[in-house]
Amino acid sequence: MKRFKKLAAVTMAATMLLGSSLMVSAAGPSGGDTGSGSFEGYVEETSVFSASVPTNAANVFNFFVDPNGLLEKTEYKRLAGKTADDFETGSTLFFTRTPSDTVKEFGKDSEKVTAKNMSSYDVNIEVSASITGIDGITMADSDTIGADVEDPTLYLAIVSGSKTVAVKADEGGLLSGEIAGTPGNFEIQYNTEKGKYEYAQKATDQLSDWAEYDFYLTGACGGNWTDEQAEATPTVELTWKISDPNANEAPSIEKAAYAMIAGTAVKIPVDLGAGELGATGIKKITYEKSGTARDLEATNYTFANGILTIKASYVDSLLNAGISREFIITFNDAARTQVTFALRALAAPSIAATTYTMTAGTAVKVPVDLGAGDLAATGISKITYEKSGTERDLEATNYTFANGILTIEASYVDSLLSASISSREFTITFDDAAKTTVSFTLTK
């Protein structure tokens, strides 16, 4: 209101000044003008989402157990140069850490892994863990394993601050948290290159510390461990994800195919999505048999803490029958989102057929199976053929490989036909450890 009165006063003064210096008759000249208004704009001040997830956690979660105290009894000779001073007192499970004045090199807690929120608002974080290779080992719910426990027992847990979540044999473990945003590190700026206002990060020298989230593994073991456990290969897998609480994402899974190993459950990380598109669980899992869709019985799988576990007994039934099988997960979101995955025995890369017909102006598509498990490849290293007794590489401009389809470009097919080449054999070399090769022929 005060601003309006000031404007009115200025206008009145100008009118009085004109009135004292110019006399205008009622029938004299008149004039007018128009003005247009513009809106400077609006900038949402909570719209910056950025986060840093740890990517350098290699070997952080490796551990070894010594339930029988062999290291101490042999004065740590297996680890040359190490003594009791390098080990945390009372521990039976050991992670290797960077030693300091307060941290022993070997102890029950792994080193911390840190995620950072560089957003202007709070974000969510989930850390999940699953464990395999624990046949004959019991997973404990706490690090208190009594002296009267007979079974070989292992305890692992995810820890962040005051939160501790035990990793269970079937369900794994899921730790959820929140990382605060730092709105003070952002301000409204005018971007001259884009010609607009935006809510953006301040200059580096004006930034406060970003909020962080630390987590680590802790563990213990107890009970009677014998030669039977010498063959066990416990493997703990951790995954972490930072998500925008304002996002809308449909449910999904990481991979389209998973390897089956006798006596071992298959664990499939599942992302339930977020926001209005998210799900809270799995409605059903189906597969096709003899042309009919069938439900996978609930006794054959579990879903907890973001891990879909296909039980070992069901895996064995497929392997014994020599069956690889494709499944459809239907989630319970409003859209009833469906995703497909396959269970396959360990398999090397292969192709569907070995002979393909060339047609002018038409690309040739070769279905490729990259295999499964330890024998699988992730892609194609090269494609070769023989000409005048010499092996030559097929130039990458003549083919593409994506989504399981090797496409020989139409232009290359035409070049063969134009040269009156009735057929040519090619060899695909995959990038798996065995460098598997398969051959196919293009023919008229």
Side-chain angles (χ1 to χ4, degrees):
M1 193 65 180
K2 290 181 180 180
R3 184 177 177 185
F4 175 77
K5 287 180 178 179
K6 181 177 180 181
L7 180 61
V10 171
T11 305
M12 182 63 73
T15 303
M16 291 175 65
L17 178 61
L18 287 171
S20 64
S21 61
L22 178 64
M23 298 297 292
V24 180
S25 68
S30 63
D33 198 359
T34 60
S36 62
S38 64
F39 177 43
E40 278 296 302
Y42 173 76
V43 178
E44 173 61 54
E45 295 191 20
T46 58
S47 60
V48 178
F49 173 69
S50 177
S52 170
V53 295
T55 58
N56 59 342
N59 302 321
V60 167
F61 303 121
N62 290 344
F63 64 91
F64 59 92
V65 297
D66 185 21
N68 300 315
L70 298 182
L71 287 168
E72 182 179 7
K73 291 174 182 176
T74 57
E75 297 182 342
Y76 307 94
K77 286 185 178 179
R78 183 180 74 80
L79 301 172
K82 304 302 178 183
T83 68
D85 291 337
D86 297 307
F87 288 78
E88 185 177 340
T89 303
S91 295
T92 52
L93 180 149
F94 300 97
F95 294 93
T96 303
R97 298 91 60 94
T98 301
S100 67
D101 291 340
T102 57
V103 177
K104 302 286 188 181
E105 185 173 357
F106 304 98
K108 63 180 177 60
D109 300 332
S110 74
E111 290 191 323
K112 291 182 178 179
V113 177
T114 302
K116 185 182 297 184
N117 180 19
M118 296 180 292
S119 307
S120 57
Y121 54 93
D122 299 352
V123 299
N124 299 325
I125 183 169
E126 289 185 347
V127 183
S128 63
S130 62
I131 189 163
T132 56
I134 52 171
D135 290 345
I137 299 173
T138 300
M139 295 300 295
D141 292 330
S142 76
D143 60 354
T144 304
I145 303 172
D148 57 340
V149 172
E150 293 291 331
D151 295 335
T153 303
L154 177 67
Y155 169 73
L156 285 172
I158 317 168
V159 182
S160 180
S162 61
K163 290 184 178 180
T164 301
V165 175
V167 180
K168 299 184 178 181
D170 292 330
E171 300 178 3
L174 178 66
L175 189 150
S176 300
E178 190 176 80
I179 316 177
T182 313
N185 281 348
F186 299 86
E187 64 184 0
I188 296 177
Q189 302 172 3
Y190 184 74
N191 189 318
T192 55
E193 292 183 1
K194 297 180 181 179
K196 67 176 185 178
Y197 292 99
E198 60 186 12
Y199 188 59
Q201 186 177 305
K202 294 179 179 178
T204 303
D205 59 357
Q206 297 177 347
L207 297 179
S208 301
D209 291 338
W210 301 105
E212 295 180 341
Y213 187 91
D214 295 330
F215 58 90
Y216 60 94
L217 276 183
T218 189
C221 70
N224 296 322
W225 293 62
T226 66
D227 282 344
E228 293 183 11
Q229 284 70 57
E231 300 299 320
T233 55
T235 301
V236 61
E237 181 176 357
L238 268 76
T239 58
W240 42 88
K241 176 186 175 183
I242 292 177
S243 59
D244 182 350
N246 302 315
N248 287 311
E249 297 178 0
S252 61
I253 60 176
E254 287 186 348
K255 299 190 298 184
Y258 296 83
M260 294 186 291
I261 301 173
T264 304
V266 176
K267 296 182 181 292
I268 303 173
V270 174
D271 187 337
L272 289 173
E276 296 179 357
L277 302 182
T280 59
I282 292 173
K283 182 176 176 63
K284 63 180 179 178
I285 301 176
T286 57
Y287 62 94
E288 188 176 293
K289 185 177 181 181
S290 302
T292 302
R294 308 189 180 204
D295 288 346
L296 178 62
E297 293 184 2
T299 54
N300 290 322
Y301 70 92
T302 61
F303 178 61
N305 299 325
I307 301 294
L308 169 62
T309 301
I310 309 297
K311 292 187 176 179
S313 55
Y314 184 72
V315 170
D316 286 345
S317 71
L318 294 179
L319 290 173
N320 291 336
I323 296 173
S324 291
R325 179 166 282 167
E326 189 173 90
F327 299 83
I328 298 174
I329 303 172
T330 301
F331 293 94
N332 65 0
D333 56 314
R336 293 295 187 265
T337 300
Q338 294 185 331
V339 297
T340 301
F341 71 93
L343 295 183
R344 299 175 182 164
L346 291 175
S350 61
I351 57 176
T354 57
T355 303
Y356 297 85
T357 302
M358 296 185 288
T359 302
T362 305
V364 174
K365 295 185 180 295
V366 181
V368 173
D369 187 335
L370 290 174
D374 293 338
L375 303 182
T378 60
I380 293 173
S381 291
K382 63 180 179 178
I383 301 175
T384 57
Y385 62 94
E386 189 175 292
K387 184 177 180 181
S388 302
T390 301
E391 183 181 89
R392 305 185 182 212
D393 288 345
L394 178 62
E395 293 185 2
T397 54
N398 291 323
Y399 70 92
T400 61
F401 178 63
N403 301 320
I405 299 295
L406 168 63
T407 301
I408 308 299
E409 300 293 348
S411 57
Y412 183 72
V413 172
D414 288 345
S415 71
L416 295 179
L417 293 173
S418 297
S420 298
I421 297 175
S422 60
S423 67
R424 175 168 284 173
E425 185 178 75
F426 299 85
T427 299
I428 303 172
T429 300
F430 292 95
D431 65 359
D432 56 313
K435 296 294 185 285
T436 301
T437 60
V438 297
S439 297
F440 69 94
T441 301
L442 296 185
T443 185
K444 283 186 178 181

